Amino acid sequence: MADEIPLPPPQIIPPLPPPISPPPPSTQPPRRPLPPIDPRQSRGRFIVWAGVFVVIVAIVIVGLVALAGLPGGGSGSDGDKATPTPAEATPDASAGAATALESYVRDVLALEYAGDCSASILPKGEGRVCSTFKGERLGQRAYILGASSYESTTWVFLRQDGGNWQVYATQPVKPDTANVPGAPWPLEKGAKVIVLGTGNCLNVRVSPGINEAPVDCLADGAEATIVEGPVEMDGFQWWRLEDRSGWVAGDWLRYPEGPATATTTPAAVTPTPGQ
């Protein structure tokens, strides 16, 4: 008998999973579809928002314009009052003064006026002079004239007459008083003055003149009042001072406010016999 072929063991088939039950029906009401967008409503909203934007921009612009027009607005000032520019506060005095200087140089000195020395370089001996501004006092202006700012020869003083600048006084620039601080404004009787630039003291002489005997000596910084003068003598103008027993040379007398407004640098000057 032939050998019997063994049969394979029987396969165990797993049971099928239970069937999936369907989800319970939803209790929420069905959603309604959105209504279609009306193009007219969309355009209306755009017009409304555009109008609001235009109004806001207009308000901002009006506010900025108003702020810029306020006194001190946007300038960092205190804003209490408007501060006029120099051109608004006073007319430009330099132009009128330059015209007066030009007329004086042409008509009196018979030379050609070359303007401000700071802007002019003049060869020597060409017959031209320039001016250098030296100070202002009580609406008057002081200049020196020369071939350059360091070769000055003449002090010129201007003041307004009928709204126009006019030369009302001149005097030569003297080497021994060139470094006296302040401009040598024309003196007058009753003026309060101060002694400056002597390097020591200013001689008070019994009479006008450098050969007259000195009776006193006023130190630099001494203040006094002019009561008489001037008397021209020995190349100086002499003035008699209040409570003094003699006369002094006016080259070393200045108004008290002179040094504060002058552009020169104070420097001591060794006394000369003219003092």
Side-chain angles (χ1 to χ4, degrees):
M1 180 175 181
D3 294 336
E4 294 181 358
I5 299 174
L7 296 174
Q11 293 182 356
I12 301 174
I13 298 174
L16 296 174
I20 299 174
S21 58
S26 175
T27 58
Q28 296 181 355
R31 296 182 180 179
R32 296 180 180 179
L34 295 176
I37 298 176
D38 189 350
R40 292 176 297 179
Q41 294 180 354
S42 177
R43 187 165 49 251
R45 293 193 186 97
F46 174 78
I47 294 174
V48 170
W49 283 110
V52 172
F53 177 77
V54 171
V55 171
I56 293 175
V57 171
I59 293 174
V60 172
I61 293 175
V62 171
L64 292 176
V65 172
L67 180 62
L70 290 175
S75 63
S77 63
D78 56 13
D80 292 337
K81 57 183 179 179
T83 302
T85 62
E88 295 173 343
T90 57
D92 184 7
S94 300
T99 301
L101 289 172
E102 183 178 9
S103 299
Y104 173 79
V105 171
R106 182 187 63 246
D107 300 337
V108 178
L109 302 182
L111 297 172
E112 182 181 350
Y113 180 59
D116 192 337
C117 288
S118 63
S120 304
I121 300 178
L122 307 178
K124 293 184 178 180
E126 70 165 8
R128 302 173 70 200
V129 295
C130 57
S131 64
T132 302
F133 177 69
K134 284 297 184 179
E136 189 167 2
R137 176 182 183 273
L138 301 178
Q140 306 171 42
R141 296 170 71 90
Y143 293 84
I144 54 174
L145 298 178
S148 66
S149 59
Y150 52 87
E151 294 178 318
S152 55
T153 59
T154 307
W155 280 98
V156 179
F157 302 94
L158 281 69
R159 65 186 175 192
Q160 287 192 329
D161 184 9
N164 297 319
W165 287 98
Q166 302 289 339
V167 175
Y168 75 94
T170 63
Q171 59 179 278
V173 175
K174 300 178 181 179
D176 54 352
T177 60
N179 291 328
V180 177
W185 297 99
L187 302 173
E188 57 186 12
K189 182 179 178 180
K192 296 184 181 297
V193 293
I194 185 171
V195 177
L196 288 176
T198 66
N200 186 10
C201 62
L202 177 63
N203 283 320
V204 181
R205 301 183 182 274
V206 65
S207 297
I210 60 176
N211 295 320
E212 299 296 330
V215 294
D216 197 358
C217 201
L218 302 178
D220 275 1
E223 297 181 356
T225 301
I226 295 175
V227 294
E228 189 177 348
V231 174
E232 300 283 347
M233 184 67 66
D234 299 330
F236 295 95
Q237 284 190 341
W238 295 83
W239 303 85
R240 188 169 68 84
L241 303 180
E242 187 177 35
D243 299 329
R244 304 292 175 176
S245 55
W247 296 70
V248 298
D251 291 54
W252 288 270
L253 299 179
R254 295 288 186 269
Y255 288 102
E257 67 272 26
T261 59
T263 58
T264 55
T265 302
V269 176
T270 303
T272 66
Q275 296 177 12

